[in-house]
Amino acid sequence: MRKRRRRSRVAGRKQHYIPQFLLRSFAEPASGDKLQIRVFTRGKSFVVPTDGIAAQREFYSKLSDDSVTLDDRITYAKSEYADLFRKLVKHDAGDVDSSDVARLLTHLSVRGNHIRSTAAAANAYALSRVTELLSDVSYVKRMMGFGLTEPPVRIKKVLDDEYNKRQQHLGRVRVSRHGFRRFMFTQMNERWDELFSSGLDMKSVAGLTDIAGIAREAHNEVLLHDFEPTQRVSALEVLDWQIKVGTTPTFVLTDAIALAHDPSRGAMPAMFTGLDDIQGVLFPLSPTRAVCAGVYADDAVLEALTCNFRNFAASASWEFVIAPPSYGAEAVNGELIGSCVGSLIFEKIEEAVAESLAEPFYK
């Protein structure tokens, strides 16, 4: 019997979500063969080769000898995006093709761990708040409408469904639909504390929920559909992009890839700015070069931004910031990492919780 020929693997288990061509642009030569970068996290900074960061085991997909995996597809596409990047790095200061920038920036932003990890954090926090509310007997009782003389619409539908299941038997004992509703709703009101306490332990259910796994599957589904989500590419293409070149190394690379200007919040991760609200974007290409659009292409605004750029970049990052080793260990305030997205997640979920406290389910 002939042995099945093994398909040659394109990539391995260690899968990079920020490509090497971008990381190397912020790297410097070291004593060994590999270029090195400085990584800033919340707790420390350290110097590593470019292949020592922005990678996880089977981040996109598991290895397969029988089919082309998501990681294989991303690896196949890498050379095309690397060419777009090199084209921007070599471009003279001034106007640049908006299509090239829009495609490259969209791909780099959507493929990374920043979007996956922040989504998982938001879902975990939302689940914890919902769990708190649904574990509060008085809150759930009020929100479900118990204490009223008549069952609210949603409870009435549940009781009617139960009546329909038992209609043949209840009809024989002359129990009407209205009478069944009244009796069951009264029982639920009187025995609510007992019924609630004997129900599911919401905190245990929340603990079994694989938030990270859900975020991973959702992220991969987006990438399987399109490496460059069309709506975001179209929104970025209409902007006038310019290459800005400085004389002094200033820029660092956030794990969110680019910053965008939000009218109410200022500099944010570009992927967190609504498509209709983008007023400016800055995508660092190297320590001295960035491609900018909107308000960030204005020299006065850009100067104000770059004066404090490293702090803005740290706030917009989630896990780390990348810089050349020569910047030094104090170049970025690691305590700021995650603060922008963290405050946004907290604010939006607390707003939703406040609305749920004000609006009962039965309305």
Side-chain angles (χ1 to χ4, degrees):
M1 180 183 293
R2 291 178 60 190
K3 291 183 178 180
R4 185 170 57 182
R5 186 178 179 183
R6 292 171 62 87
R7 184 180 62 81
S8 61
R9 291 176 177 145
V10 175
R13 284 194 166 89
K14 183 180 180 181
Q15 298 169 6
H16 292 266
Y17 52 82
I18 298 179
Q20 291 292 291
F21 64 76
L22 180 55
L23 295 176
R24 288 178 185 135
S25 192
F26 290 84
E28 294 172 340
S31 56
D33 295 333
K34 293 185 177 181
L35 293 171
Q36 293 191 323
I37 49 177
R38 183 176 294 278
V39 180
F40 294 88
T41 65
R42 292 184 189 92
K44 59 182 178 179
S45 79
F46 51 93
V47 175
V48 292
T50 57
D51 61 0
I53 193 67
Q56 287 184 19
R57 183 181 174 87
E58 297 179 342
F59 181 79
Y60 297 112
S61 50
K62 294 183 178 181
L63 294 182
S64 172
D65 289 321
D66 302 314
S67 61
V68 177
T69 66
L70 175 58
D71 186 55
D72 288 337
R73 292 177 56 196
I74 289 174
T75 304
Y76 288 139
K78 180 177 66 176
S79 60
E80 180 181 1
Y81 293 111
D83 287 343
L84 290 176
F85 179 76
R86 283 190 285 269
K87 183 178 176 182
L88 293 176
V89 169
K90 294 177 181 178
H91 200 285
D92 293 334
D95 295 341
V96 67
D97 188 302
S98 63
S99 178
D100 288 347
V101 179
R103 289 187 58 216
L104 177 62
L105 180 53
T106 297
H107 173 68
L108 293 176
S109 298
V110 79
R111 69 176 277 180
N113 192 41
H114 185 281
I115 191 170
R116 182 187 294 188
S117 292
T118 53
N123 289 335
Y125 183 64
L127 181 60
S128 72
R129 294 296 281 123
V130 170
T131 300
E132 287 178 18
L133 292 175
L134 295 184
S135 299
D136 183 340
V137 58
S138 60
Y139 166 77
V140 177
K141 184 174 183 178
R142 178 177 66 83
M143 299 303 279
M144 294 298 289
F146 296 132
L148 302 175
T149 55
E150 286 288 333
V153 174
R154 291 189 182 183
I155 300 297
K156 188 182 294 185
K157 184 179 185 307
V158 172
L159 295 177
D160 282 351
D161 289 343
E162 292 301 315
Y163 181 85
N164 291 339
K165 293 175 185 177
R166 301 166 174 79
Q167 187 169 11
Q168 187 173 1
H169 170 72
L170 293 172
R172 285 201 297 267
V173 295
R174 298 180 181 273
V175 176
S176 68
R177 183 182 300 274
H178 181 72
F180 178 78
R181 281 186 202 149
R182 270 294 184 88
F183 174 79
M184 293 301 296
F185 191 59
T186 299
Q187 289 292 303
M188 292 168 75
N189 266 298
E190 292 177 352
R191 300 181 57 204
W192 173 250
D193 289 0
E194 175 191 342
L195 293 169
F196 187 90
S197 62
S198 64
L200 285 173
D201 180 350
M202 290 302 299
K203 292 183 179 179
S204 296
V205 172
L208 295 173
T209 305
D210 182 8
I211 299 294
I214 293 170
R216 179 182 185 276
E217 289 182 12
H219 183 215
N220 285 353
E221 186 64 31
V222 170
L223 292 171
L224 282 167
H225 178 70
D226 195 349
F227 287 170
E228 306 168 15
T230 305
Q231 283 187 310
R232 183 154 290 271
V233 172
S234 298
L236 296 176
E237 275 182 332
V238 301
L239 301 175
D240 294 324
W241 291 90
Q242 292 183 13
I243 298 290
K244 299 287 186 178
V245 182
T247 56
T248 304
T250 300
F251 297 115
V252 295
L253 181 66
T254 163
D255 59 12
I257 304 300
L259 300 182
H261 182 75
D262 181 270
S264 60
R265 295 177 177 275
M268 292 182 60
M271 286 297 291
F272 276 73
T273 306
L275 297 179
D276 297 329
D277 297 326
I278 296 177
Q279 295 188 353
V281 184
L282 187 150
F283 170 23
L285 302 172
S286 76
T288 58
R289 175 181 290 259
V291 57
C292 307
V295 295
Y296 289 162
D298 179 270
D299 288 339
V301 176
L302 181 61
E303 183 178 358
L305 181 70
T306 53
C307 285
N308 201 28
F309 183 79
R310 296 171 191 178
N311 284 341
F312 285 127
S315 297
S317 296
W318 184 247
E319 293 182 313
F320 57 80
V321 174
I322 300 296
S326 60
Y327 275 26
E330 306 299 323
V332 173
N333 181 358
E335 295 302 315
L336 293 174
I337 292 175
S339 58
C340 175
V341 178
S343 63
L344 179 63
I345 289 172
F346 176 82
E347 179 182 316
K348 293 300 182 183
I349 292 174
E350 290 304 317
E351 284 178 3
V353 169
E355 289 178 8
S356 75
L357 289 171
E359 285 292 328
F361 299 148
Y362 57 84
K363 279 195 173 182

